[in-house]
Amino acid sequence: MTIYEQDAKTLELPWPFTGRETELELVRRSSAAGRPGVVVTGPVGCGKTRLITEAVRDTDCVRVTGTPESRGLPFAAFAHLLPGTVSLHRAVHLLSGVRLLVVDDAQLLDEASAALVHQLAAHGSTRLVVAVTDGVPVPGAVSRLWTGELLPRVALEPLPREDTGRLLATAGLEPLTTGRLHRMCRGDLRLLRDLVAALRRSGGLTRVPECDEWAWRGPVPVPVTATVRDRLAPVLDRAGAGERETLDRLAFAEPLPLAWDELDLEVLERLEADGLIHVDDLGSVTLAHPLHGPALRATAGRLRSLRLTGAPDRCGPALAAERTALERGLARQDVRGVPTPVGDWLLSEGLPVPAGYAVVRARYSRLRGELREAAAWAREGLRAAPDDARCADELDLVTAQLGESKGTDGWAAAARGDIGGAPAGLTGDDVLACYDAVRLGRPELAAGRLPAGGVFARHAEALARGDGPALDRAAGALAERGFLLFAAEAHAQAVRAHRDPRAARLSRTRAVALARRCQGARTPALAGLVLGELTARQRQIVALAAAGLSNREIADKLTLSVRTVGNHLYSAYTRLGASDRGALPWLTDLPESEPA
């Protein structure tokens, strides 16, 4: 049974650079010697400054920053680099010796500074790395940097869920909490950082003893954090009295939507035009941003809250409908994402999650490759019903596929390397139990026992034939249906089956990309796969780091500089999707895959 315990210690959040490997490489390459530079654009809070800082780390550069307070002052951003009064021509001449110039918040530059940046780009002697926020007015001289093709542009999207999860995992936050934070912040790192800091201060994060992670159960910290208020106030303040009443009704109706015919249609039309609500194809109305509801509820008075708040038991039929939808997907062998607002709301409010619902969520998450999330849902079910055998069995199965089980069942044996004896316990009448034999490399044990023509049978047949291209096609079909872990395993099996080295390398790349999204899955098909992506020197250093040696000790042992060791480890972490040494040991004790 899960018991959440308050810990008096302050949870420190290091906020390491996470994800963005492709964008990081693009910025590094564009700002290297002989290149003109790059413009990085994206919405507020998406991590533009952090990306650029990482890209120019250990590089000599000059920095300038636009600020709203100085937009009316000529050359204000360059005041620390230029004499008191200077012409544009003179400013270009004075800065022509700068090899690398980093310009942050370029949308806030005064016109003279914007013109100077444009001229430096046009002259070409100075490499420029420029950050610009989307959705706000930008000086023409700045926008012409990329529209005029002076500099290439890297457009950042909000941080994806997988990278958000990796980032928050470094602070020990459990998967259901990271999922909730991502839904609320939508990849906005400033909101994320502010909200986590507020949770730390308010004691909203509590320990989950079984996994020694931190969980958030309960409402958004009150009062609403300053960043949340600042971000939402311009939108919510536009609402008049009638609009605010409707917004409050929607806020307190969550997680269930309201039908539009229960509300004033003219008000709804205005709110929809302002982007404050969403109306689906069935006519149900919800708030457009996941933080609007908590913000509105937190600022409502006590009497207003009592008037608008509904009873939790009204969610029963909707929760049952969610469970039915999940079970229908499992029966169709299709686990693509489906909306589950009621279950997520029960969890976020800290209310008991019925074990029957929790086990279905756990199984659905496991089959999607979200293994740590599956374990968390199983624990939620055990929190409500400590003796529920279904949740306990699901938790055992998940921990085995994470390589953390000490049990004696088939997957636990496979995780310990006993591949030969494991499948005997994994081939019952259940389709997924039969398919487990395929995942463990024994397709003959599933012959004729999987639905003919189905995606699982196609995987089994391709593996039995040793057909690399067919395994890749099966992996694609599995991924399309949401089975990301199974798809990663099929691609990994294709690596060994391909006769063409180029095809094998492509399969390996696809397998690694999918495996990184599976929250630390450790299965035989993936053994050695990720380490195969590293250079020989990186594998050597990773092995020593996993054994507990410090960078200095590794440097002394291999006759390298400490900085070289650090650089190799950083590159290895990026390729492995790891954040620190804690993620390395399980990789290094797995056998190497065959050369691709």
Side-chain angles (χ1 to χ4, degrees), residues 426-501:
L426 301 170
T427 54
D429 294 331
D430 180 73
V431 168
L432 289 171
C434 292
Y435 181 62
D436 281 345
V438 181
R439 299 174 59 199
L440 288 167
R442 298 288 301 276
E444 70 278 5
L445 297 178
R449 307 177 67 185
L450 296 169
V455 65
F456 295 160
R458 284 151 53 194
H459 181 187
E461 292 161 5
L463 183 60
R465 296 195 308 270
D467 187 335
L471 281 167
D472 284 331
R473 290 193 294 273
L478 287 163
E480 185 178 349
R481 287 173 170 262
F483 296 106
L484 299 190
L485 176 56
F486 299 168
E489 292 172 332
H491 277 310
Q493 290 166 340
V495 173
R496 299 167 175 84
H498 278 301
R499 292 175 175 80
D500 181 354

Side-chain angles (χ1 to χ4, degrees), residues 87-429:
S87 66
L88 176 60
H89 177 77
R90 178 62 176 162
V92 172
H93 176 74
L94 289 171
L95 295 177
S96 60
V98 174
R99 298 296 92 191
L100 178 62
L101 176 66
V102 175
V103 184
D104 200 6
D105 284 332
Q107 75 280 357
L108 298 176
L109 291 177
D110 60 89
E111 292 296 334
S113 294
L116 175 54
V117 170
H118 187 275
Q119 286 299 305
L120 289 171
H123 280 242
S125 61
T126 299
R127 303 193 305 279
L128 291 136
V129 181
V130 183
V132 183
T133 297
D134 288 338
V136 297
V138 178
V142 171
S143 62
R144 287 194 295 273
L145 290 173
W146 67 90
T147 60
E149 300 184 354
L150 283 173
L151 298 177
R153 178 169 71 129
V154 173
L156 290 190
E157 299 293 333
L159 195 69
R161 176 172 176 170
E162 290 81 12
D163 289 338
T164 301
R166 288 166 55 193
L167 174 64
L168 294 177
T170 63
L173 298 185
E174 54 93 37
L176 299 182
T177 296
T178 64
R180 182 185 180 190
L181 286 165
H182 179 75
R183 287 192 300 274
M184 299 193 77
C185 299
R186 293 182 171 179
D188 185 325
L189 292 173
R190 291 185 187 175
L191 277 177
L192 190 67
R193 183 167 52 243
D194 190 64
L195 189 50
V196 172
L199 288 169
R200 291 209 317 268
R201 291 193 301 269
S202 67
L205 291 170
T206 50
R207 284 282 190 187
V208 183
E210 291 87 347
C211 55
D212 198 30
E213 293 176 330
W214 294 86
W216 174 27
R217 304 290 186 266
V220 173
V222 179
V224 178
T225 63
T227 300
V228 173
R229 284 198 305 273
D230 293 344
R231 194 67 53 83
L232 300 180
V235 179
L236 298 179
D237 289 348
R238 292 202 304 267
E243 287 90 347
R244 184 58 184 261
E245 172 68 19
T246 298
L247 290 173
D248 282 348
R249 286 188 63 188
L250 290 168
F252 282 93
E254 291 181 334
L256 302 181
L258 293 178
W260 65 266
D261 56 6
E262 298 180 39
L263 302 164
D264 187 308
L265 182 56
E266 291 185 3
V267 171
L268 289 180
E269 289 175 348
R270 292 196 296 271
L271 291 173
E272 186 178 27
D274 285 340
L276 290 175
I277 63 171
H278 172 72
V279 182
D280 66 18
D281 295 338
L282 301 177
S284 296
V285 186
T286 55
L287 294 167
H289 195 289
L291 271 174
H292 285 176
L296 288 165
R297 292 193 295 273
T299 55
R302 180 173 178 80
L303 292 176
R304 190 176 187 81
S305 299
L306 290 172
R307 175 171 66 85
L308 295 172
T309 298
D313 57 9
R314 65 192 168 87
C315 297
L319 188 69
E322 283 184 11
R323 175 177 173 177
T324 299
L326 294 170
E327 291 173 332
R328 190 178 299 121
L330 293 172
R332 291 197 310 260
Q333 298 175 17
D334 187 336
V335 293
R336 281 173 283 196
V338 296
T340 52
V342 180
D344 295 337
W345 180 81
L346 288 177
L347 183 81
S348 66
E349 292 296 309
L351 298 171
V353 178
Y357 177 88
V359 73
V360 174
R361 283 296 297 267
R363 185 173 301 123
Y364 205 87
S365 296
R366 172 171 59 85
L367 296 180
R368 285 172 54 81
E370 299 163 346
L371 297 189
R372 296 197 179 278
E373 189 165 317
W377 276 112
R379 291 189 186 99
E380 286 297 318
L382 292 172
R383 179 186 173 201
D387 298 325
D388 190 272
R390 299 164 302 170
C391 288
D393 289 345
E394 193 65 35
L395 183 59
D396 288 343
L397 187 56
V398 171
T399 54
Q401 294 186 42
L402 285 167
E404 299 172 354
S405 175
K406 297 181 175 61
T408 58
D409 63 7
W411 274 109
R416 292 194 300 270
D418 182 12
I419 305 300
L426 301 170
T427 54
D429 294 331

Side-chain angles (χ1 to χ4, degrees), residues 1 4 10 25 32 49 56 85 138 189 195 231 359 405 410 440 517 526 536:
M1 178 179 179
Y4 299 112
T10 300
E25 183 59 29
T49 301
V56 302
T85 302
V138 178
L189 292 173
L195 189 50
R231 194 67 53 83
V359 73
S405 175
L440 288 167
R517 299 170 63 182
L526 301 180

